[in-house]
């Protein structure tokens, strides 16, 4: 016990001065800070011994998550396996998929019909009844840890559901609880906010405030009317939310995904986005975690260009988030699919590659959310491509209406006034597998091309700097699910098209390479094992792009210690030649095993190569492709 107490005291003393300074700068409340410190000690004492051992192991190896074996999978618990016990029963499948990091989409208590996919939390310490209990969560995380699988969850700290206990008391007139939100008697101050604060959902949820007839007050609701923004100017809000954070960490969660990070602090006469106080809060959260549960990671959801999200990493001396999403690169990837032009994507990758290696990005092809076309329109304008017309083209393309597209999917939150809209669809359907299966048949050339595109995009994602995450079902080429339209709680939200239930019948075909699930699963399995076995895929490897002199072919180089690999990716439906000229030796295609020169490489339609440089002399290459 004394040794354990000493561990806590050492961590606490290491951070005390900075933590107190930041807290007092923000709140100036000694009593509330003392309460926070006492609560941190209590949560540490309540943390079980297995988690404390894991904390010590990760403290001793702080870069544990930057290795080349990290591969994530995200899914909704009910869609994937019914409930938490179901997920536990599928851990062998997850392990077979080479996944060691699962992101369980929002599972905390919410109200059907006004849940925003689980992001409107009614109780931060209760699991949705249909998904299980907190005890089930503890059993699941313990089972995952035995298989060396990390568990990620969403921590929705910007707002609560209107069904949260705080909100109910606030609605009833309790001023103490109203102070935990943003309540106003009339629209004078809300109107002043509206002058500077952008709207998140101008079509489906316009404005940033909601009138409550029963309370006769306006409340700030940045997202949906049933999601009430928390007031972090109130230290009680910060403290209580940190207690929720530590409570969940003690259930065995390894990665806390902070939802909507830039929105956390609100200030009149500003955009209420990315304010300095947000960084103070995240920095304090990082230190609280390092004191109580240093084995956990903070993943920030910050939807901006890579160079603009960098402040959320903090500094080497004062870090904030451990990891951030690479959102812009994801959107630019699909732009590249639609245009067959890699120029903008190459520019994006060059920006990411210039950032310090300490910064870890999560890379993905798609997630639970829609795809917004937040591209670098300044760069596109220099090529004569206008923002509105290009967004229109991308949405037309992925609906299958333009650009010789084979994609299928639906728009989300379309605004007829601005012409803006986002897009929804699974990776497989966007790659043309749905169209090929439904219109051309399972043995068609169109299906082969679509599968090739799907696999090439995953191969490209694995080559990026950072940690790859796939959406559950993408490993078997799962298609769009249109059944959401039959559910009155989901019909208005087209994002459910790519949130369909896991097709376990299709997953049963992964050993049969004549089927689509078998083709995709087996090829991804090969790539994932290559990535885990080659140290050049470490997160801190040198990464750069190479000119190919063909607008449809992307080339990425990686170098770590004495190893070098070159990835070539053809975003065109036509055979292409990558006019690279790497003359430093002979290369081996890691997929076929052929030895070749990395010069004037011919790449089939939607094809790719992983070319590894031979370190030992091996004579002449077998061929020049």
């Amino acid at each position: 016990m004394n040794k354990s107490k000493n561990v806590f005291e050492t961590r606490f003393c290491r951070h005390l001065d900075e933590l107190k300074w930041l807290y007092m700068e923000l709140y100036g409340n000694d009593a509330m800070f003392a309460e926070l410190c006492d609560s941190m000690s209590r949560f540490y004492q309540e943390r079980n011994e297995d988690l404390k051992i894991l904390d010590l192991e990760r403290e001793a190896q702080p870069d544990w998550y930057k290795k080349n074996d990290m591969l994530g999978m995200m899914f909704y618990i009910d869609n994937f396996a019914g409930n938490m016990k179901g997920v536990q029963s599928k851990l062998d499948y997850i392990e077979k998929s080479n996944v060691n990091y699962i992101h369980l989409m929002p599972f905390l208590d919410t109200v059907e019909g006004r849940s925003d996919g689980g992001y409107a939390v009614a109780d931060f310490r209760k699991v949705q009844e249909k998904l299980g209990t907190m005890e089930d969560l503890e059993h699941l995380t313990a089972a995952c840890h035995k298989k060396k699988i990390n568990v990620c969850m969403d921590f929705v700290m910007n707002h609560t559901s209107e069904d949260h206990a705080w909100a109910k008391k606030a609605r009833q007139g309790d001023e103490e609880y109203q102070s935990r939100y943003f309540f106003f008697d009339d629209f004078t101050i809300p109107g002043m906010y509206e002058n500077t604060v952008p709207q998140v959902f101008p079509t489906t949820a316009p404005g940033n405030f909601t009138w409550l007839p029963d309370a006769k007050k306006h409340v700030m609701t940045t997202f949906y009317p049933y999601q009430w923004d928390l007031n972090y100017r109130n230290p009680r809000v910060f403290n209580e939310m940190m207690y929720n954070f530590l409570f969940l960490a003690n259930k065995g969660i390894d990665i806390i995904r902070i939802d909507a990070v830039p929105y956390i602090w609100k200030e009149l006469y500003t955009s209420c986005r990315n304010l300095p106080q947000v960084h103070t809060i995240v920095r304090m959260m990082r230190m609280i975690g390092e004191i109580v549960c240093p084995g956990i990671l903070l993943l920030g959801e910050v939807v901006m260009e890579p160079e603009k999200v960098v402040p959320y990493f903090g500094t080497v001396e004062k870090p904030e988030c451990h990891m951030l999403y690479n959102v812009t690169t994801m959107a630019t990837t699909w732009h590249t699919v639609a245009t067959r032009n890699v120029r903008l994507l190459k520019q994006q990758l060059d920006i990411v590659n210039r950032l310090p290696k300490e910064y870890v990005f999560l890379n993905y092809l798609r997630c639970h959310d829609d795809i917004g076309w937040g591209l670098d329109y300044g760069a596109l304008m220099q090529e004569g491509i206008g923002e509105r017309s290009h967004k229109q083209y991308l949405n037309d393309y992925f609906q299958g209406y333009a650009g010789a597209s084979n994609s299928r999917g639906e728009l989300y939150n379309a605004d007829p006034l601005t012409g803006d809209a986002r897009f929804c669809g699974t990776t497989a359907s966007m790659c043309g597998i749905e169209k090929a299966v439904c219109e051309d048949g399972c043995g068609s050339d169109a299906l082969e091309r679509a599968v090739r595109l799907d696999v090439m995009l995953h191969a490209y994602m694995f080559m990026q700097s950072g940690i790859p995450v796939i959406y559950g079902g993408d490993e078997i080429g799962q298609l769009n699910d249109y059944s959401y339209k039959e559910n009155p709680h989901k019909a208005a939200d087209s994002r459910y098209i790519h949130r369909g239930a896991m097709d376990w019948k299709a997953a049963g075909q992964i050993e049969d390479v004549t089927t689509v699930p078998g083709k995709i699963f087996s090829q991804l399995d090969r790539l994932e094992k290559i990535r885990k076995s080659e140290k050049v895929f470490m997160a801190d490897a040198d990464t750069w792009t190479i000119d190919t002199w063909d607008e449809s072919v992307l080339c990425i180089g990686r170098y770590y210690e004495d190893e070098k690999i070159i990835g070539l990716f053809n975003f065109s439906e036509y055979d292409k030649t990558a006019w690279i000229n790497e003359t430093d030796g002979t290369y081996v295609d890691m997929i076929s095993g052929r030895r070749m020169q990395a010069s004037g490489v011919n790449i089939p339609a939607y094809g790719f190569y992983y070319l590894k440089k031979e370190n030992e002399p091996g004579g002449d290459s077998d061929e020049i492709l």
Side-chain angles (χ1 to χ4, degrees), residues 38-94:
D38 289 342
S39 296
M40 283 193 287
S41 177
R42 175 172 58 85
F43 278 107
Y44 174 77
Q45 292 165 17
E46 293 172 355
R47 192 162 173 80
N48 72 48
E49 288 305 313
D50 287 342
L51 294 178
K52 287 180 178 177
I53 290 170
L54 190 59
D55 288 337
L56 291 171
E57 290 173 355
R58 291 176 175 176
E59 271 189 308
Q61 193 178 25
D63 290 346
W64 64 271
Y65 61 99
K66 298 180 181 180
K67 308 301 181 186
N68 53 325
D69 65 340
M70 287 291 282
L71 175 64
M73 176 184 283
M74 60 190 303
F75 52 78
Y76 282 93
I77 293 169
D78 53 348
N79 285 342
F80 188 73
N83 55 32
M84 287 188 176
K85 290 180 179 177
V87 173
Q88 190 168 334
S89 73
K90 298 295 185 182
L91 290 184
D92 286 345
Y93 173 83
I94 290 169

Side-chain angles (χ1 to χ4, degrees), residues 201-214:
F201 300 127
T203 304
T204 56
N208 291 284
F209 291 85
T210 297
W211 170 250
L212 305 177
D214 50 346

Side-chain angles (χ1 to χ4, degrees), residues 275-322:
L275 298 178
Q277 294 89 343
V278 173
H279 295 282
T280 300
I281 287 173
V282 177
R283 174 62 185 149
M284 290 196 293
M285 194 173 181
R286 173 74 176 251
M287 287 189 285
I288 289 167
E290 289 185 354
I291 292 169
V292 179
C293 46
I296 64 130
L297 303 175
L298 297 182
L299 167 61
E301 189 226 5
V302 187
V303 184
M304 294 186 297
E305 304 92 315
E307 65 270 33
K308 292 184 180 178
V309 306
V310 164
Y312 287 92
F313 283 116
T315 65
V316 174
E317 297 79 17
K318 297 180 179 180
E320 295 177 24
C321 293
H322 295 81

